[in-house]
Amino acid sequence: MVLSELLYYFDDDTRARLLRQATESLTAGGHLVTVHWNHPVAEHTRTGRDIAGEVDTLADLKRLARYDDPDFTLTVHEHGRDGGPALSPARAEGLA
């Protein structure tokens, strides 16, 4: 699942609810990718770095990767797999 250029438009409660629903919709081993702009915009309630920090706190997700660019922050998280190691999307699909 990809959530891009979206989450910073929501207030804290709505964003938390959307992230909870997104996480609950993933199967074990499923991936959540987020990417958001880091520069201040009047309509944005948070920056990309803020969003990445919020996603990092979700209990059922393990962070696989984070890229912090001056313009945007991109993260890849995997939904919990019964305590097993987190796998990249390619490894999870048997492609690497």
Side-chain angles (χ1 to χ4, degrees):
M1 177 182 305
V2 177
L3 299 176
S4 176
E5 307 302 328
L6 169 77
L7 293 172
Y8 41 47
Y9 288 105
F10 299 110
D11 61 55
D12 293 347
D13 291 336
T14 303
R15 187 173 48 258
R17 187 173 62 249
L18 194 150
L19 284 169
R20 187 173 50 256
Q21 290 172 336
T23 301
E24 290 171 356
S25 72
L26 292 172
T27 58
H31 294 90
L32 175 64
V33 176
T34 62
V35 60
H36 293 84
W37 189 246
N38 281 324
H39 298 288
V41 175
E43 297 84 11
H44 295 179
T45 62
R46 298 282 183 267
T47 67
R49 286 183 193 92
D50 297 332
I51 299 294
E54 288 180 33
V55 178
D56 281 345
T57 67
L58 298 174
D60 293 333
L61 297 179
K62 296 177 187 177
R63 185 173 66 189
L64 297 177
R66 177 171 171 159
Y67 176 75
D68 281 300
D69 184 90
D71 292 333
F72 66 90
T73 297
L74 179 142
T75 63
V76 179
H77 288 79
E78 181 183 71
H79 191 275
R81 298 170 6 106
D82 301 324
L87 302 175
S88 73
R91 290 184 61 111
E93 295 296 322
L95 301 172

